Amino acid sequence: NAGVTQTPKFRILKIGQSMTLQCTQDMNHNYMYWYRQDPGMGLKLIYYSVGAGITDKGEVPNGYNVSRSTTEDFPLRLELAAPSQTSVYFCASYPGREVYGYTFGSGTRLTVV
Amino acid sequence: KNEVEQSPQNLTAQEGEFITINCSYSVGISALHWLQQHPGGGIVSLFMLSSGKKKHGRLIATINIQEKHSSLHITASHPRDSAVYICAVKMSGGGADGLTFGKGTHLIIQP
């Protein structure tokens, strides 16, 4: 199993540009999450999904959008990139049962200039 | 609002030393997670605890629910243990909105 796959690993965007961060999991997990990690801070939740067709906002959703058309895919969209969105982004999945942990992707390092 | 505090923020030790990283939280939880992040790398789940103690190789995690405190221990530390260790909690009765994270403990093990 590949686990959680994130692409791209690195990206530099200009202010105002758009991009989609891809996240795919092959473990049939219902729950998927997008977090951002800023220097010296704990991970912050951007959006989450409890299953295909269902998404909800987390703590820091402004400037982002998500969709969940399938169980496997949970892309994160930045419509008008701003320097404040410079961060490392992590996608994670979770089966929904407390006996199992979370599985994280390898991260996307995004710089907005 | 749940706060997750880790200590120390930074720790440098010599190879072979016994390492302890602490995590305290402020509200009731259903589970506590310890995660590891190598420099420039992804995040790996080490342990998920709801009570007691778990051991995996040289790593030991304990939790005291009454005191709202958990510790991660590393025995016979090695330079490859150098990483950021992150504590995260799932609040009791919380919805599906994931974990609340500490800021991490940056551990360096010198040869």
Side-chain angles (χ1 to χ4, degrees):
Chain A
N1 285 349
V4 177
T5 302
Q6 278 185 246
T7 57
K9 292 193 183 303
F10 304 94
R11 184 72 185 267
I12 298 174
L13 277 183
K14 294 184 178 178
I15 294 171
Q17 285 186 323
S18 301
M19 76 164 294
T20 298
L21 282 67
Q22 301 290 346
C23 177
T24 299
Q25 55 97 2
D26 62 358
M27 297 168 288
N28 202 32
H29 287 177
N30 287 325
Y31 297 81
M32 295 187 75
Y33 304 87
W34 275 106
Y35 294 98
R36 60 177 287 171
Q37 183 182 42
D38 298 309
M41 303 296 292
L43 278 78
K44 302 291 186 186
L45 181 65
I46 305 171
Y47 270 94
Y48 67 99
S49 169
V50 300
I54 305 169
T55 63
D56 209 343
K57 296 178 180 179
E59 186 179 359
V60 290
N62 291 345
Y64 308 94
N65 276 301
V66 294
S67 60
R68 184 97 181 268
S69 57
T70 66
T71 299
E72 294 77 19
D73 299 308
F74 190 42
L76 178 71
R77 178 82 177 163
L78 283 71
E79 289 295 348
L80 291 170
S84 61
Q85 293 177 304
T86 294
S87 189
V88 181
Y89 292 84
F90 287 96
C91 179
S93 73
Y94 177 63
R97 293 182 294 280
E98 288 288 356
V99 295
Y100 300 107
Y102 287 66
T103 303
F104 288 83
S106 57
T108 296
R109 185 172 294 274
L110 175 66
T111 302
V112 182
V113 297
Chain B
K1 181 182 175 185
N2 188 26
E3 299 288 339
V4 179
E5 299 289 338
Q6 289 186 235
S7 63
Q9 290 185 343
N10 298 284
L11 178 59
T12 299
Q14 296 298 311
E15 183 174 357
E17 287 189 35
F18 182 83
I19 303 299
T20 296
I21 299 170
N22 297 298
C23 176
S24 297
Y25 51 92
S26 55
V27 299
I29 65 169
S30 60
L32 182 142
H33 298 253
W34 281 104
L35 311 167
Q36 180 191 56
Q37 184 178 23
H38 283 286
I43 297 171
V44 175
S45 179
L46 297 175
F47 295 103
M48 182 176 66
L49 294 162
S50 55
S51 64
K53 175 180 174 179
K54 287 190 176 180
K55 184 175 188 291
H56 184 255
R58 295 180 294 105
L59 300 178
I60 303 166
T62 64
I63 189 168
N64 185 318
I65 296 294
Q66 287 74 28
E67 295 186 2
K68 295 185 171 62
H69 180 269
S70 175
S71 293
L72 176 68
H73 305 286
I74 305 174
T75 62
S77 60
H78 190 276
R80 65 175 174 266
D81 296 325
S82 298
V84 176
Y85 292 85
I86 302 169
C87 173
V89 301
K90 180 77 171 74
M91 287 191 284
S92 296
D97 58 347
L99 304 172
T100 301
F101 294 81
K103 295 180 180 180
T105 294
H106 189 194
L107 174 65
I108 297 173
I109 304 297
Q110 296 178 334

